[in-house]
Amino acid sequence: MSKIYVDDALLLISSDDGSICWSNLSNRFRVPQEDDSDNQPKSLGFPKKIASIGDFNTAQKMMESESGYQIWPFSIGWNSLAKGAFAIRNPLIPNRLSAQEHRVMLAMSTGMNIKTISTEYNISISTVHTHLRRVRQKVGLKSHEAVYGYATRNFCPEWDSKNPPQHFPNKVLESLMKHGIMSICNWQGFVQWTTCTTELFQQGNPISQSIKEPFKSTMQNAVASAGALKETRLCEFSDTFGNFWRLYSWPFLNADSAVITLACRLPVRLELLSDRERSILNMLGTGTVVKQIAEELKTSASTTRAAIKTARNKLGIASQEELVTFSAKYCPYHLLPCCPEEFSQQETLPKQ
């Protein structure tokens, strides 16, 4: 698939001497040079001071001390590489949200529509809309769809709206720790190191060994392009065990290795969608309204709505709100999937 940037995660790798030898944002977020001009790429929400730190442990401590980030450290212990760490931005939940606004966000994070929220909490529909308008103003959201996406990625339904937790769980980080697989590959696409504990990726085997056709060649091309063109690449694939994944491939480019990859598990149902339907859900999940989606795809609003309805039927999703919630969790390519809940061992596709 196309080259892609991951906007919500910083990955650092250290060498044996404790220095940072690689970052996934190195081409957009790097050590400033004397001849840098003001139009150089900016960081994606991570403190610029971290980019200029050469010591891994110091950078990790600084990220941990920043209230805006949570860390997933892991050991590598392979070749000259020692450790790695993912930094994920914390939930963007303003403290100034009222208890009622917080409660409405918790309901929306499950895909509950306005009418159901009104009935569930015994408040009028106009009151629900008032809460949503205030949340949009406080958080800076532009659309109804954006509010659902915001609630989905930042709120957990099990929280108590009257006594919210002091430290909000990071749903993206939980998802990464449960379902993410890190791997390092050489120039031929063979796995040199991996966190995988199953047969999906095994050290010494081609990274595409357990991948179904026609995804096998797509993955091979994505991994090869990341190394050869020095660009982040993305592809999605089904494995021979019946699971569906998204693979981010970053150019690593040291003496022995070409690419470092992150595989994130996705619902199998996504494989049922066409490319056009996936593009629509990608935009829907980031808060884009139907009119803007139609303009972006150069089609009519009615055609876009028909494609959304078809996608709902394929996915077995009952309402527009639930579709937006689903899209926000899994569909935006530039954001890591947000699915900390456990996947079933073998998902069942909805009846068509």
Side-chain angles (χ1 to χ4, degrees):
M1 205 176 280
S2 60
K3 62 182 181 180
I4 196 82
Y5 291 114
V6 181
D7 285 358
D8 62 344
L10 171 65
L11 172 60
L12 301 176
I13 301 293
S14 77
S15 56
D16 285 337
D17 61 5
S19 62
I20 298 173
C21 63
W22 182 86
S23 164
N24 66 314
L25 301 183
S26 57
N27 54 345
R28 301 186 75 186
F29 177 67
R30 57 191 178 79
V31 178
Q33 305 295 325
E34 292 183 0
D35 59 348
D36 279 355
S37 60
D38 291 336
N39 61 359
Q40 289 291 337
K42 306 299 182 183
S43 70
L44 302 176
F46 296 93
K48 193 171 182 179
K49 56 190 176 184
I50 294 178
S52 60
I53 293 175
D55 179 69
F56 178 87
N57 290 331
T58 303
Q60 182 177 332
K61 288 178 182 178
M62 183 174 292
M63 289 188 294
E64 289 172 343
S65 67
E66 295 282 346
S67 60
Y69 310 94
Q70 289 187 27
I71 310 299
W72 175 35
F74 54 91
S75 299
I76 299 179
W78 172 81
N79 206 345
S80 60
L81 307 178
K83 293 183 290 187
F86 253 110
I88 310 291
R89 284 197 288 250
N90 274 334
L92 306 174
I93 304 176
N95 294 327
R96 59 184 181 274
L97 287 187
S98 69
Q100 283 280 50
E101 291 162 355
H102 192 98
R103 185 167 64 167
V104 170
M105 290 294 99
L106 294 180
M108 294 185 78
S109 70
T110 67
M112 195 179 294
N113 61 34
I114 303 297
K115 184 177 180 180
T116 306
I117 294 173
S118 171
T119 303
E120 182 74 17
Y121 296 130
N122 195 26
I123 56 178
S124 68
I125 290 178
S126 62
T127 300
V128 177
H129 280 293
T130 298
H131 290 318
L132 296 184
R133 184 177 68 252
R134 289 173 178 170
V135 170
R136 286 174 58 178
Q137 292 172 347
K138 291 178 179 181
V139 183
L141 303 173
K142 297 181 179 180
S143 69
H144 183 74
E145 289 82 359
V147 177
Y148 269 95
Y150 167 79
T152 299
R153 295 189 67 87
N154 293 289
F155 287 78
C156 291
E158 61 271 17
W159 294 347
D160 183 350
S161 59
K162 295 182 179 179
N163 298 292
Q166 289 185 334
H167 302 286
F168 293 99
N170 192 311
K171 295 171 72 174
V172 177
L173 186 64
E174 289 180 11
S175 175
L176 182 65
M177 294 173 68
K178 286 182 179 179
H179 310 302
I181 300 175
M182 300 294 307
S183 302
I184 297 175
C185 300
N186 64 14
W187 294 91
Q188 290 75 37
F190 283 78
V191 177
Q192 297 175 300
W193 171 87
T194 182
T195 60
C196 185
T197 57
T198 68
E199 296 179 4
L200 178 60
F201 302 137
Q202 291 186 315
Q203 189 171 338
N205 291 341
I207 192 170
S208 59
Q209 177 163 305
S210 298
I211 310 306
K212 283 184 180 178
E213 293 289 358
F215 301 103
K216 189 183 290 281
S217 59
T218 302
M219 175 191 270
Q220 291 170 341
N221 291 335
V223 173
S225 297
L229 301 179
K230 302 180 182 179
E231 294 175 340
T232 303
R233 292 283 164 166
L234 175 149
C235 68
E236 292 178 343
F237 64 89
S238 288
D239 62 31
T240 55
F241 312 106
N243 303 310
F244 193 58
W245 301 81
R246 179 179 298 152
L247 185 79
Y248 297 95
S249 302
W250 293 284
F252 196 56
L253 305 179
N254 69 5
D256 303 309
S257 308
V259 176
I260 185 166
T261 66
L262 170 65
C264 300
R265 193 172 172 186
L266 300 172
V268 174
R269 292 178 287 169
L270 281 174
E271 194 178 346
L272 299 172
L273 303 180
S274 67
D275 291 340
R276 173 57 63 91
E277 291 160 356
R278 285 299 306 275
S279 297
I280 291 173
L281 295 196
N282 179 28
M283 289 184 276
L284 198 64
T286 55
T288 309
V289 298
V290 171
K291 182 180 178 181
Q292 293 174 323
I293 294 174
E295 292 173 354
E296 181 72 22
L297 298 178
K298 295 180 172 58
T299 186
S300 67
S302 60
T303 300
T304 302
R305 290 191 185 95
I308 290 174
K309 184 177 180 180
T310 301
R312 277 176 50 193
N313 291 335
K314 288 181 178 180
L315 295 171
I317 293 176
S319 68
Q320 176 83 358
E321 291 80 6
E322 290 177 22
L323 181 66
V324 175
T325 297
F326 179 90
S327 301
K329 278 185 177 183
Y330 305 112
C331 294
Y333 296 125
H334 66 293
L335 300 175
L336 295 178
C338 178
C339 47
E341 64 272 14
E342 293 291 345
F343 286 90
S344 59
Q345 190 64 27
Q346 185 65 44
E347 292 182 86
T348 303
L349 296 179
K351 295 181 180 179
Q352 299 299 303

